Amino acid sequence: METAAPSPAHLALVAQRRADLRAALAGVLPPAARFVCEIGCGHGHFLTAYAAAHPDEFCLGFDVSAERIARAVRKRDRAAGANLHFFHAEALDFLAALPADAGFRAIFMLFPDPWPKRRHHKNRLLQSSFLQELAMRTGQGMRFYFRTDHRGYFTQATAVLAAHSAWRLDPAAPWPFEESTVFQQRAPAYQSLVAERTAAS
């Protein structure tokens, strides 16, 4: 069964959404910025703590839930995090809206939606095509940090990263910063991996 092509109205909505996000990002990102990013930042627990512990690093987090972002912004404001910003955005919109000269210093993806049912696995964000999109915004040696409490998603993530020419799994790499999020506190167990951007694209 073929997937229906997006309607002109939907394409116009996406274009406007990305234009608004592009303007918002341009308003906070310094020229040629290299920043730490949290994909699916939730209520902002992790990134707010990270930004406070690393005041010389610029940090951006985004999430698809407007309610979560509102809470993250309140948390940021209480912490007076001048080096931290949160955005309500989908991942592909965020990447498309980044200024051309901006890039990642490090990427965190913590406890993403595992889409546990097999028929929904295609909705998991960590796919080869998404890793390629990330790779286009990173330099050699940049690290991607992934953590999940879902064994199946961890297995898939490991396989997808191992098969991608732009990334190399680094089992010996340390986890750079610990701050227990709500999801981590609820998880009976979890697994983590670190991947490094290679010279290949």
Side-chain angles (χ1 to χ4, degrees):
M1 181 176 177
E2 294 184 2
T3 303
S7 68
H10 175 74
L11 293 175
L13 181 64
V14 171
Q16 184 59 56
R17 193 170 65 210
R18 292 183 177 183
D20 292 343
L21 184 56
R22 189 174 295 113
L25 285 165
V28 302
L29 279 170
R34 293 294 177 267
F35 61 95
V36 174
C37 181
E38 185 181 2
I39 298 170
C41 61
H43 298 154
H45 293 94
F46 176 84
L47 202 58
T48 299
Y50 183 96
H54 302 82
D56 295 331
E57 296 187 25
F58 200 83
C59 302
L60 297 181
F62 65 88
D63 198 280
V64 296
S65 167
E67 185 273 335
R68 291 175 187 162
I69 289 299
R71 293 183 64 175
V73 169
R74 290 195 294 270
K75 191 176 279 86
R76 186 274 318 271
D77 290 346
R78 288 195 299 270
N83 62 328
L84 172 63
H85 296 274
F86 291 108
F87 294 91
H88 176 216
E90 296 182 5
L92 292 180
D93 287 346
F94 183 86
L95 294 176
L98 280 176
D101 62 349
F104 299 111
R105 179 187 297 274
I107 300 171
F108 290 91
M109 190 172 175
L110 310 177
F111 300 94
D113 189 338
W115 293 96
K117 295 182 179 178
R118 182 175 294 277
R119 67 178 183 272
H120 294 153
H121 286 185
K122 64 182 182 296
N123 296 326
R124 289 175 175 173
L125 186 56
L126 199 58
Q127 309 278 356
S128 181
S129 57
F130 183 65
L131 287 172
Q132 187 60 33
E133 292 286 341
L134 293 181
M136 293 170 62
R137 293 289 189 172
T138 64
Q140 184 178 359
M142 199 259 4
R143 286 179 171 174
F144 172 74
Y145 301 94
F146 178 85
R147 179 172 282 177
T148 180
D149 60 341
H150 191 276
R151 184 175 300 176
Y153 199 177
F154 182 81
T155 299
Q156 178 188 325
T158 301
V160 170
L161 280 157
H164 203 291
S165 63
W167 299 93
R168 180 185 68 85
L169 289 169
D170 188 357
W175 195 260
F177 182 77
E178 284 290 355
E179 175 69 20
S180 184
T181 66
V182 172
F183 290 109
Q184 186 164 315
Q185 291 170 5
R186 293 173 180 170
Y190 55 82
Q191 293 173 285
S192 309
L193 65 78
V194 180
E196 183 177 82
R197 176 71 161 91
T198 67
S201 60

